[in-house]
Amino acid sequence: MKVNKKWAVGGGACLFAAPLLIFSAVQFSSAADHLDPPTRTNPAMDTTPDTAADIADVYTWHTANSLVVAMTFAGPQPTTRAATFDRDVLYTINISNAMPRTTVDIPIQVRFGSDGPATNNRFGVQILGLPGVNGAISGPVDTNLTQDNVTVRAGLFDDPFFFDLQGFRDTLSTGTLAFNNTRNFFAGQNLTAVVIEIPLNRIANNTNPIDIWAESARLGGNL
């Protein structure tokens, strides 16, 4: 098994990078990890990049009643490319709502597979470990799936990340800030994402902060 996890400590060539996002009432921290580590996921450095296992970002926000988590991966890709579903990659969205904040209290596992009798190029999604859900939520991709007041959707999305890559490169080469907030390298590009909406009272734990991060693991055989 090859595990992608941004904040993992220690050596081993099997470690990939993946985004970490910390969300609480008093603190908000985020990280983007497209094509990281580059030696395993960047096509400029690897002729066979592991696109499916390359987590891009984790976004979270909440309403008065719901927590929404969006994990994006396999991007950026041109709009002519289909979504990326790999049955040999296991994605885990980890939620901590108690001390210590690095302990996983709610692990949510996402995996893809062939859609029953459909041909091998059709996929379905299965999500396990959702709090308050009896069993798994499963069904076709690009479809809103609702069970026990939890809604999930896996499929193709416009890449929501905004970044001026040209300005970043110019800043590095000249030493002078050269960012332009009208330039977005990710505009018009897609990625694959899993979006989950959960009742907030199933996640909240008194006044404890909520920490959320994601990891991917490439398995040696089919799921």
Side-chain angles (χ1 to χ4, degrees):
M1 179 189 296
K2 298 178 181 178
V3 177
N4 314 343
K5 190 152 85 171
K6 178 172 186 177
W7 56 271
V9 178
C14 66
L15 291 180
F16 279 178
L20 166 66
L21 185 146
I22 300 174
F23 173 81
S24 74
V26 296
Q27 179 178 356
F28 186 89
S29 171
S30 61
D33 262 350
H34 294 78
L35 310 180
D36 189 16
T39 56
R40 300 192 73 97
T41 61
N42 191 338
M45 302 183 68
D46 186 343
T47 57
T48 58
D50 196 345
T51 301
D54 182 19
I55 298 176
D57 303 285
V58 177
Y59 302 92
T60 73
W61 63 95
H62 69 90
T63 66
N65 300 310
S66 297
L67 174 72
V68 181
V69 181
M71 176 188 67
T72 67
F73 56 94
Q77 300 289 345
T79 55
T80 54
R81 291 279 300 274
T84 299
F85 305 117
D86 191 324
R87 63 185 301 172
D88 291 335
V89 177
L90 175 66
Y91 305 91
T92 305
I93 297 171
N94 298 304
I95 300 177
S96 175
N97 63 357
M99 297 298 291
R101 296 175 63 176
T102 54
T103 298
V104 180
D105 299 303
I106 304 173
I108 300 172
Q109 295 185 328
V110 181
R111 60 184 184 179
F112 298 97
S114 298
D115 237 353
T119 58
N120 286 333
N121 61 357
R122 294 284 303 279
F123 283 83
V125 63
Q126 181 186 74
I127 303 180
L128 291 161
L130 291 161
V133 174
N134 184 20
I137 293 181
S138 60
V141 297
D142 291 312
T143 303
N144 288 347
L145 306 172
T146 300
Q147 181 178 322
D148 297 325
N149 294 320
V150 173
T151 298
V152 302
R153 184 183 182 95
L156 195 65
F157 291 83
D158 177 58
D159 194 331
F161 192 70
F162 187 101
F163 187 67
D164 177 15
L165 182 60
Q166 178 184 335
F168 175 73
R169 290 171 173 168
D170 291 346
T171 299
L172 286 180
S173 63
T174 65
T176 302
L177 287 176
F179 290 100
N180 184 332
N181 62 9
T182 66
R183 288 189 303 234
N184 180 17
F185 170 76
F186 296 94
Q189 300 194 72
N190 288 342
L191 42 55
T192 309
V194 176
V195 183
I196 303 172
E197 183 174 10
I198 309 170
L200 188 59
N201 60 13
R202 298 183 190 176
I203 303 296
N205 183 9
N206 296 316
T207 59
N208 291 332
I210 298 172
D211 298 80
I212 300 175
W213 65 97
E215 60 187 270
S216 62
R218 176 161 294 283
L219 306 180
N222 289 338
L223 290 170

